[in-house]
Amino acid sequence: MHEFALFNQKIFAPEQINLSAISSAALYGKGIFTTLAIYDGKPFLWEKHWRRLNENAQKIGIDLVAESDLKASLFELIETNKIKNARARITLFDESSNAIWNFKTTKKTSFLITTADFKKTKENLRLTVSPYPVNSTSPLVNIKSCNYLENILALEDAKSKGFDEALRLNERGEIVSAIMANLFWIKDEKIYTSALETGCLAGTTREFLTENFSVEEKRIDLENLLKADEVFLTSAGIGIKSVKQIDEKLFTFQATNKLRSFQKFWYD
């Protein structure tokens, strides 16, 4: 993490920031976030990130901060931390009370912006199949909520087995995504990605690729994914990364090199 963070429009050292322990965010993980890339000191795909924050806030009942305040705060932090190319996380916390533990509070929504260098990720990732399925009927499907413990436990499980990431399936055995990224595959020079109905997150980088390449959304099982010519992951934090291996299955990554070369021009 970089030297400074921003909490409710004020700059702090990260260790000085405090969230109310009696808030819905602290008690239940009621909050949403987005992670976006910063290129040349400017947030990439801001409109997509803002739209998702807006949609997610409405779905789980969080009062949204004004876009102008959020964007101005982000630029202030970029300038303060002297950022050129990095990543930023914007988190909205519900600080209101809840009927289960109805503490008296006048607070509503707080927001935190933190920045850091891009993740140091291998160019060719090794994945395993996660033992933890995604519930495609969950009310949190397609919401990037602060309740991320299931993802963290799944990632820790994969790393304990010597893998970089993991492939998650839903309760029907359909391919959903990786734990921290969207998943694409190539078969006979055609690009595919998991349909949103599987329970995968509508990632901003995923959306950007579907707008700039011919991509078909599809529902497939593990057996058919392993027949792909190539597999790759996408997210704001890692960009595009090839998948070298899923358990014992090895893949090539020639086409992904072409996609990655396109990535260099995203912010021109």
Side-chain angles (χ1 to χ4, degrees):
M1 186 180 293
H2 292 152
E3 184 177 1
F4 297 104
L6 188 146
F7 187 64
N8 291 341
Q9 297 181 289
K10 294 181 180 179
I11 298 290
F12 296 93
E15 63 271 15
Q16 295 177 319
I17 297 172
N18 296 297
L19 181 69
S20 171
I22 61 171
S23 65
S24 292
L27 293 175
Y28 315 113
K30 190 177 180 184
I32 55 176
F33 75 97
T34 192
T35 301
L36 51 85
I38 299 168
Y39 294 124
D40 198 23
K42 300 175 184 177
F44 181 58
L45 300 179
W46 169 262
E47 292 78 12
K48 296 183 186 301
H49 286 279
W50 168 251
R51 187 184 71 239
R52 186 172 65 188
L53 282 172
N54 200 335
E55 292 172 351
N56 286 184
Q58 291 182 34
K59 286 179 180 177
I60 67 173
I62 293 179
D63 290 340
L64 197 60
V65 178
E67 180 183 8
S68 56
D69 290 341
L70 208 58
K71 195 171 184 179
S73 295
L74 176 57
F75 274 105
E76 181 181 358
L77 187 61
I78 289 172
E79 182 177 354
T80 301
N81 281 332
K82 299 178 174 61
I83 294 171
K84 185 176 181 181
N85 298 321
R87 57 192 165 108
R89 170 170 164 150
I90 299 174
T91 309
L92 303 183
F93 300 105
D94 186 349
E95 292 225 54
S96 64
S97 63
N98 185 278
I100 300 175
W101 291 98
N102 192 13
F103 299 102
K104 291 183 179 180
T105 177
T106 58
K107 293 184 177 179
K108 290 192 175 182
T109 302
S110 291
F111 71 91
L112 170 69
I113 305 178
T114 54
T115 62
D117 295 337
F118 284 113
K119 295 179 184 178
K120 294 182 179 179
T121 308
K122 295 178 181 177
E123 286 300 319
N124 305 308
L125 302 173
R126 298 176 62 250
L127 275 60
T128 186
V129 177
S130 175
Y132 309 125
V134 172
N135 177 9
S136 67
T137 66
S138 167
L140 291 179
V141 162
N142 206 22
I143 295 176
K144 202 157 185 177
S145 83
C146 292
N147 193 339
Y148 233 55
L149 182 57
E150 184 175 304
N151 299 66
I152 296 300
L153 293 175
L155 186 61
E156 289 177 350
D157 175 75
K159 289 184 177 296
S160 72
K161 297 172 181 175
F163 293 90
D164 305 304
E165 245 274 18
L167 183 67
R168 298 194 72 188
L169 283 62
N170 64 20
E171 74 281 6
R172 297 184 297 273
E174 297 169 335
I175 301 299
V176 177
S177 65
I179 299 167
M180 299 291 187
N182 284 113
L183 180 136
F184 289 75
W185 65 95
I186 297 174
K187 180 65 176 177
D188 298 328
E189 299 186 355
K190 174 68 177 178
I191 306 174
Y192 301 91
T193 192
S194 297
L196 295 179
E197 291 78 11
T198 64
C200 79
L201 182 73
T204 54
T205 308
R206 174 188 183 275
E207 182 180 346
F208 185 76
L209 284 181
T210 60
E211 291 173 346
N212 288 277
F213 291 90
S214 177
V215 179
E216 180 181 337
E217 296 189 8
K218 199 168 184 178
R219 297 165 69 164
I220 65 168
D221 58 18
L222 179 60
E223 180 180 358
N224 281 290
L225 177 67
L226 296 180
K227 295 177 183 177
D229 301 319
E230 179 183 0
V231 178
F232 61 95
L233 306 183
T234 68
S235 78
I238 66 173
I240 300 171
K241 296 292 182 180
S242 299
V243 172
K244 176 182 179 180
Q245 182 178 352
I246 299 178
D247 287 325
E248 302 303 320
K249 170 68 176 181
L250 296 175
F251 295 93
T252 60
F253 33 88
Q254 182 177 358
T256 302
N257 291 332
K258 298 177 182 177
L259 292 172
R260 196 179 292 113
S261 66
F262 173 73
Q263 178 184 347
K264 296 177 182 178
F265 301 98
W266 286 1
Y267 50 92
D268 285 356

